[in-house]
């Protein structure tokens, strides 16, 4: 493995009823709170009332930024930044899934920056400060609850870009599996695919001799594979929801990334698809990832053989490495299909029209990925495999 | 799994040559530094000079607490506390293995407490503050580099006791696998046993439905089993040393403990043995742990069956659960013997004379353990199995 630094200061507060800790957790950061949330499902479930009661218990003055989109938009983030400035906000509280958390991170870093927050996503500026941020998570998916990363969509330019900073780690994240009981099947599926994809981006690497990171990654995949189907069979299965939620956090909190050169090409490609078509991130990843695997596996076939054997229990007896690796990739696709994820761009209504533009955008700063460095033609080939 | 809080603020700085970061890492905490180390091996290896050069580069005034014992003693910790008071120390830097780190933690919490630091180990006082502490680790073993726990020996009363506090987490820990190249075989073996034992204490639990924590624990065990033998075959195998070092950290940094009721009876028993006989902690654990397993496995046999199959690759075909579980326990003993760890108290010169006293001391605050609650007679039985 390579050298690395790991510093993850987020306090994880996990378990049924932990929202009751919220007031106590927010209190040290001040009383002027910006509450960030999505489409209102937290009002239907009663979570909104619980959160407000907690904030009232510490005498907080609450301003709101509702309506965060599934692919959170730059315009919305800017609205939040304006509220922070106008209302002298002390603390940002995100209540929702990954999109809400990512938008809140955008607000947190943007509120402490004089320029355009979009600058951070195009390497025009470096994040040097942020408002403190806490989260109450309602969806097992992005891992945003325990890292400093966020993805924002610029709807005007049809671009979807990420930023990351040590300043954007949540101070705390409350993870109550019961809050995910009401997540509908399609979003549960997207979450499962998202978590598995995060692991893939870090597991398929050419960095040698990192057995612990590999086994940790396989542990997350096996846990998600087993518990994903359980959660889909019974949305109120506490154990399944809890295991998914914890797996999602560990998929992207640094644990499996320590000292590993990661890839992230599939995410970059998916971002270009969903920047234009506004499809769910998990759906896009389900379509693209197995095709990325097929396109690149020969660059490091032993990793794909190990994946097939350890994660999908492929029997290697009498098979060539090529056959074993492909069986693992097929098993991945079969699992995605079994849980109801789309397999082709056609399944989500995307045709070949913009493939060239997507490939162009994905590689605008140069080749992407590390397992195999992908240029524009490679990206286009993967997109064509996905039609 | 149960509810839990996880907050691990230690910054891990891992890799060859990372001691070069030391000055930069210490600087924010002040200039009056207490350097804590052990028997002088860091002078032979040149690490001492490197550390001093780094501290000089930031203009630090360095005081020293050398000579930390393998089972660090209360008297030595108190010497360090006196230096902190006399010299108005800002920051404590521990350079060495787990014992040095534990002693430094004792100094750090004791320096901010008016009473006797021993109070913290006997629940007479609660830790409410500590001097900031950093570490440079030279041995893969205790995990002390990324948690808030320490074990101190009171040689006058022949007691070995632990304390834990959020204030005792190192601000940073530098882990350079090359610094462990010179660790002799016997200490490498003790470290391997220590790491595996930490995992056992958290893995053998009656807490249901914690597949991720179980698989993470198995990941650590498999990594240690594979890389332990490699490190013993070639002490300068960077990959093996690096994998052991990282596994040791993850064995006790909270990752596998999340939401799990842990046991720690074997550690309590071993502490009573090494409090009287001053044997190496790892040696004592190698003797006791397989006997603890034999004594308790029927309380949760499925856990031991899983352990045998997943960790030791025991073929379950045609075997009863009892046979599978016992095969896993035998495989553990066989591995310890293969790497050169002792198997009986007789191997380390301990006879039956003080068994009764050890069992008495181990259970002085009541029964110990959770997988099976052990009273005095249980502890004595395990010690007798170990003769």
């Amino acid at each position: 493995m390579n050298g690395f630094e790991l510093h993850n200061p987020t306090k994880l507060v996990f378990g049924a009823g932990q929202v009751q800790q919220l007031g106590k957790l927010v209190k040290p950061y001040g009383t002027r709170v910006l509450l960030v949330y999505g489409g209102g499902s937290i009002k239907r479930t009663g979570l909104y009332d619980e959160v407000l009661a907690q904030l009232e218990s510490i005498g907080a003055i609450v301003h709101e930024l509702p309506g965060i989109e599934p692919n959170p938009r730059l315009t919305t983030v800017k609205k939040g930044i304006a509220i922070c400035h106008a209302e002298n906000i002390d603390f940002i509280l995100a209540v929702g899934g990954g999109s809400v958390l990512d938008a809140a991170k955008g607000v947190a870093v943007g509120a402490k920056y004089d320029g355009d927050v979009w600058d951070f996503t195009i390497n025009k500026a470096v994040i040097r400060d942020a408002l403190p941020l806490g989260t109450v998570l309602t969806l097992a998916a992005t891992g945003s609850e325990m890292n400093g990363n966020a993805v924002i969509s610029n709807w005007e330019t049809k671009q979807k870009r990420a930023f990351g900073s040590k300043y954007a780690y949540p101070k705390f994240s409350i993870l109550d599996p019961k809050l995910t009981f009401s997540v509908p099947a399609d979003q549960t599926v997207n979450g499962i695919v998202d978590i598995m994809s995060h692991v893939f981006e870090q597991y398929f690497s050419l960095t040698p001799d990192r057995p612990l990171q590999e086994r940790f990654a396989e542990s997350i995949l096996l846990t998600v594979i087993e518990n994903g189907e359980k959660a889909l069979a019974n949305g109120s299965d506490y154990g399944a929801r809890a295991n998914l939620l914890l797996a999602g956090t560990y998929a992207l909190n640094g644990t499996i990334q320590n000292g590993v050169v990661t890839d992230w090409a599939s995410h970059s490609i998916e971002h270009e698809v969903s920047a234009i078509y506004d499809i769910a991130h998990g759906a896009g990843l389900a379509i693209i990832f197995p095709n990325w695997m097929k396109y690149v596996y020969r660059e490091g076939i032993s990793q794909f053989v190990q994946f097939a054997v350890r994660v999908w229990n492929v029997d290697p007896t009498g098979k060539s490495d090529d056959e074993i690796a492909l069986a693992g990739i097929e098993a991945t696709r079969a699992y995605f299909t079994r849980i109801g994820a789309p397999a082709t761009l056609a399944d989500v209504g995307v045709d070949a029209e913009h493939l060239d533009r997507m490939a162009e955008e994905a590689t605008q700063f140069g080749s992407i990925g590390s397992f195999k460095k992908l240029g524009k033609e490679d990206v286009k080939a993967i997109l064509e495999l996905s039609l």
Side-chain angles (χ1 to χ4, degrees), chain A:
Chain A
M1 78 183 92
N2 300 328
F4 66 88
E5 278 196 24
L6 174 73
H7 188 209
N8 194 322
T10 300
K11 180 188 279 193
L12 208 62
V13 183
F14 192 103
Q18 297 283 29
V19 174
Q20 298 307 315
Q21 312 278 350
L22 182 61
K24 195 184 72 182
L25 288 163
V26 172
K27 202 174 179 189
Y29 300 101
T31 52
R32 304 186 68 85
V33 175
L34 178 65
L35 177 60
V36 182
Y37 58 98
S41 69
I42 66 166
K43 290 191 176 169
R44 285 194 300 279
T45 61
L47 176 59
Y48 175 84
D49 292 333
E50 275 190 272
V51 166
L52 278 195
Q54 281 288 313
L55 294 175
E56 274 164 24
S57 76
I58 57 163
I61 298 152
V62 180
H63 294 271
E64 298 198 5
L65 179 68
I68 304 299
E69 306 82 6
N71 286 313
R73 300 186 182 185
L74 178 63
T75 47
T76 312
V77 169
K78 287 183 175 174
K79 259 191 238 172
I81 294 169
I83 299 172
C84 289
H85 291 160
E87 305 296 345
N88 203 16
I89 294 295
D90 297 318
F91 188 77
I92 298 173
L93 180 64
V95 180
S99 300
V100 171
L101 273 54
D102 282 8
K105 287 179 180 177
V107 175
V109 301
K112 290 283 193 174
Y113 175 61
D114 284 337
D116 185 332
V117 66
W118 189 249
D119 291 351
F120 298 137
T121 71
I122 53 175
N123 302 320
K124 209 179 133 186
V126 173
I127 296 165
R128 300 202 187 280
D129 200 2
L131 279 176
L133 164 88
T135 89
V136 179
L137 190 65
T138 61
L139 181 68
T142 68
S144 191
E145 63 276 14
M146 204 176 179
N147 64 45
N149 306 323
V151 177
I152 306 292
S153 291
N154 185 335
W155 209 243
E156 285 165 34
T157 61
K158 299 269 184 200
Q159 287 173 316
K160 187 169 174 177
R161 293 275 175 270
F163 68 83
S165 164
K166 67 176 181 178
Y167 298 102
Y169 280 76
K171 299 296 181 190
F172 63 81
S173 283
I174 295 175
L175 277 63
D176 178 349
K178 287 191 170 178
L179 297 178
T180 69
F181 283 6
S182 60
V183 173
D186 61 336
Q187 284 187 46
T188 301
V189 169
N190 288 336
I192 291 166
V193 174
D194 200 20
I195 297 168
M196 291 176 69
S197 299
H198 291 160
V199 178
F200 295 156
E201 298 284 19
Q202 302 165 85
Y203 179 75
F204 294 111
S205 165
L206 300 177
T207 305
D209 208 3
R210 50 183 169 101
L212 186 63
Q213 294 91 325
E214 287 178 336
R215 289 192 188 276
F216 279 170
E218 291 153 1
S219 298
I220 297 170
L221 291 172
L222 287 162
T223 301
V224 172
I225 290 165
E226 289 163 7
N227 289 276
E229 291 195 274
K230 284 189 200 172
L232 287 166
N234 173 11
S236 302
D237 179 335
Y238 182 87
R241 290 292 196 181
N243 293 325
L244 270 187
L245 200 54
L246 189 61
T249 301
Y250 270 89
L252 209 50
N253 72 354
T255 303
I256 63 173
Q257 186 184 334
N258 287 327
V260 177
V261 175
T262 54
D263 195 87
W264 297 102
S266 299
H267 269 71
S268 296
I269 299 171
E270 194 288 321
H271 285 178
E272 298 311 328
V273 180
S274 60
I276 295 179
Y277 291 96
D278 205 21
I279 63 170
H281 181 52
L285 288 168
I287 295 163
I288 288 161
F289 232 120
N291 293 312
W292 173 87
M293 291 179 180
K294 277 188 204 160
Y295 193 78
V296 308
Y297 76 94
R298 286 204 175 90
E299 302 293 317
I301 197 163
S302 63
Q303 192 74 24
F304 278 89
V305 168
Q306 179 176 305
F307 171 65
V309 172
R310 289 194 189 166
V311 175
W312 295 113
N313 210 19
V314 170
D315 181 357
T317 316
K319 295 193 186 79
S320 69
D321 278 3
D322 223 70
E323 287 168 328
I324 301 166
L326 286 171
I329 297 169
E330 286 311 319
T332 309
R333 167 62 71 214
Y335 180 78
F336 285 170
T337 299
R338 196 157 71 242
I339 62 173
T344 66
L345 289 170
D347 286 345
V348 293
V350 173
D351 62 20
E353 186 185 351
H354 295 298
L355 297 198
D356 197 72
R357 176 178 162 194
M358 293 173 193
E360 179 77 36
E361 286 278 338
T363 54
Q364 67 168 313
F365 298 122
S367 66
I368 58 174
S370 70
F371 195 81
K372 179 179 169 71
K373 283 193 197 309
L374 305 176
K376 184 187 164 185
E377 291 311 311
D378 299 307
V379 172
K380 204 171 166 188
I382 291 167
L383 286 166
E384 280 165 353
L385 282 173
S386 308
L387 281 170

